[in-house]
Amino acid sequence: MTYLAKPKLHHPTLPKNQLGFTRRDYEGKISTLCAGCGHDSISAAIIQACWELEIEPHRVAKLSGIGCSSKTPDYFLGNSHGFNSVHGRMPSVLTGANLANRDLIYLGVSGDGDSASIGLGQFAHAMRRGVNMTYIVENNGVYGLTKGQFSATADAGSKSKRGAVNSDTAIDMVALALQLGATYVARSFSGDKDQLVPLIKGALAHRGAALLDVVSPCVAFNNHNGSTKSYDYVREHNDAVNRLDFMPRRTPISADYRPGSVIEITQHVGSRLRLRKLHDGYDPGDRLAAMNHIQTHQARGEIVTGLLFIDPQADDMHANLNTVETPLNQLRQADLCPGAAMLERINASLR
Ligand SMILES: Cc1ncc(C[n+]2csc(CCOP(=O)(O)OP(=O)(O)O)c2C)c(N)n1
Ligand code: SF4
Ligand SMILES: [Mg+2]
């Protein structure tokens, strides 16, 4: 059994969004992951975010690599475009698709093995190019699909299920994304849907490279004492800097917060984010301070979560490359061929 189709019947009273879709319309096939796997909670959060944002499913392209995490796009958005690529190669396939058709909403789903081990170079270049996408790393610190080897995000000193101690330094995807120039950087926990859903909505509405590192425990191989990616460890060491509320354009701002405790951010495309500060003095607009804060707390064994950095007016790869507004896959030959006279002028300018 490799997949199960879901029954097509919907209960007639299920709530619908403005498009007339229920949450069921954003689901995919029945998951074949282990019961309790964090990745299934992330799929549920993606479904909720897309339903609430009233995204037309055919406007989404979901891409992944290889791993339990990379299987999950089969379990949500069954009416969207999908491409399950090669291990670690999703970022370049997504970049190419985005270059060809800028009109779709790009959702990259990957694992810590897929992105921090074999795909590290690919991850780095997609971030630094500002590819307009939401890139979710479902981070469990192990290669779940191949039976629980330490991945590159496993903390030094953490233990495998059989007691082996990891001696290698961990790669922090958030710190890396900040260093590489990503313009929306967040971390969350698969067990905290209230935090995760608005962070996904904010990322989907962001123009530029949005990285969401979601700690997502692997119940089969990395949920024991000595693991720093277990449900218990994350619950005890989760240090949220803020809580995000994503606001549809027309929502009025309620004034039930003390002054200075809320920051309102308007993104390029007009969406509004409201950030409730949990750490006084944490500024999500300061990249260097964010790096410093994350590393200081990481050294104490704490997992910093929330919206860690945002540049709401960021440009994306298309702006940097000065491409035309029309998606490249819709240009006709007449648009692409400048004609003999123009070619002659270009050639002459290069002689
Ligand atoms: C080129 C290549 N090398 C190795 C593998 C074997 N392989 C499959 S999945 C995987 C690791 C997956 O780990 P991760 O991305 O963390 O996903 P998880 O299963 O933990 O969600 C590996 C090494 C492969 N499929 N292809
Ligand atoms: S092996 Fe781990 S990552 Fe894979 S489905 Fe099971 S719990 Fe999830
Ligand atoms: Mg993994």
Side-chain angles (χ1 to χ4, degrees), residues 163-201:
V165 177
N166 178 38
S167 52
D168 297 341
T169 305
I171 292 175
D172 182 339
M173 300 309 282
V174 153
L176 203 55
L178 283 169
Q179 201 273 321
L180 290 164
T183 47
Y184 182 107
V185 180
R187 178 151 45 211
S188 190
F189 171 41
S190 62
D192 188 350
K193 200 173 175 185
D194 289 346
Q195 184 191 49
L196 182 54
V197 172
L199 287 175
I200 295 174
K201 288 164 78 176

Side-chain angles (χ1 to χ4, degrees), residues 32-346:
T32 58
L33 302 187
C34 305
C37 176
H39 300 350
D40 278 335
S41 307
I42 301 173
S43 297
I46 292 170
I47 290 167
Q48 183 71 21
C50 291
W51 181 73
E52 287 179 14
L53 280 179
E54 298 171 348
I55 290 175
E56 294 165 296
H58 71 272
R59 291 197 51 234
V60 179
K62 42 178 188 163
L63 295 99
S64 63
I66 298 290
C68 298
S69 33
S70 293
K71 283 169 70 178
T72 64
D74 219 17
Y75 312 141
F76 58 80
L77 297 179
N79 295 315
S80 300
H81 306 276
F83 195 92
N84 188 204
S85 72
V86 182
H87 197 22
R89 272 56 165 193
M90 176 271 282
S92 55
V93 179
L94 190 154
T95 303
N98 186 309
L99 268 173
N101 185 358
R102 62 187 299 170
D103 266 2
L104 296 178
I105 298 166
Y106 287 93
L107 176 58
V109 177
S110 181
D112 41 309
D114 202 56
S115 285
S117 297
I118 194 169
L120 189 60
Q122 297 244 333
F123 171 81
H125 292 290
M127 289 296 144
R128 62 180 271 278
R129 285 186 177 130
V131 180
N132 188 12
M133 62 182 170
T134 297
Y135 191 120
I136 299 181
V137 179
E138 304 193 346
N139 190 347
N140 53 19
V142 288
Y143 300 165
L145 190 72
T146 54
K147 307 241 175 285
Q149 302 86 349
F150 287 126
S151 79
T153 66
D155 287 311
S158 62
K159 286 191 181 147
S160 74
K161 200 171 170 182
R162 288 173 175 247
V165 177
N166 178 38
S167 52
D168 297 341
T169 305
I171 292 175
D172 182 339
M173 300 309 282
V174 153
L176 203 55
L178 283 169
Q179 201 273 321
L180 290 164
T183 47
Y184 182 107
V185 180
R187 178 151 45 211
S188 190
F189 171 41
S190 62
D192 188 350
K193 200 173 175 185
D194 289 346
Q195 184 191 49
L196 182 54
V197 172
L199 287 175
I200 295 174
K201 288 164 78 176
L204 287 168
H206 179 73
R207 187 171 88 171
L211 182 269
L212 209 48
D213 178 35
V214 187
V215 187
S216 175
C218 168
V219 289
F221 300 110
N222 206 12
N223 194 34
H224 45 267
N225 275 342
S227 160
T228 56
K229 301 271 194 290
S230 66
Y231 281 107
D232 285 349
Y233 187 92
V234 183
R235 282 196 188 106
E236 281 159 28
H237 297 83
N238 190 342
D239 186 20
V241 289
N242 48 39
R243 298 298 283 200
L244 177 66
D245 294 321
F246 184 90
M247 296 180 298
R249 286 173 199 217
R250 292 171 297 277
T251 320
I253 310 277
S254 59
D256 53 350
Y257 298 103
R258 69 184 162 80
S261 67
V262 171
I263 318 172
E264 202 194 320
I265 300 165
T266 303
Q267 299 207 88
H268 235 315
V269 272
S271 63
R272 287 187 300 156
L273 310 175
R274 184 167 54 192
L275 266 187
R276 281 175 285 144
K277 289 189 203 172
L278 299 181
H279 265 252
D280 273 343
Y282 187 87
D283 176 5
D286 186 338
R287 191 183 286 273
L288 280 180
M291 288 163 112
N292 192 19
H293 183 95
I294 291 158
Q295 306 238 311
T296 310
H297 285 255
Q298 155 77 19
R300 297 185 201 145
E302 289 158 8
I303 303 168
V304 177
T305 60
L307 180 55
L308 305 171
F309 175 75
I310 183 168
D311 174 357
Q313 300 303 316
D315 279 330
D316 76 333
M317 175 179 64
H318 282 281
N320 298 339
L321 293 177
N322 199 19
T323 54
V324 287
E325 284 299 320
T326 311
L328 300 188
N329 66 346
Q330 287 174 29
L331 295 179
R332 292 157 301 139
Q333 195 181 358
D335 303 319
L336 293 166
C337 177
M342 174 59 81
L343 268 182
E344 188 44 49
R345 277 216 296 283
I346 293 170

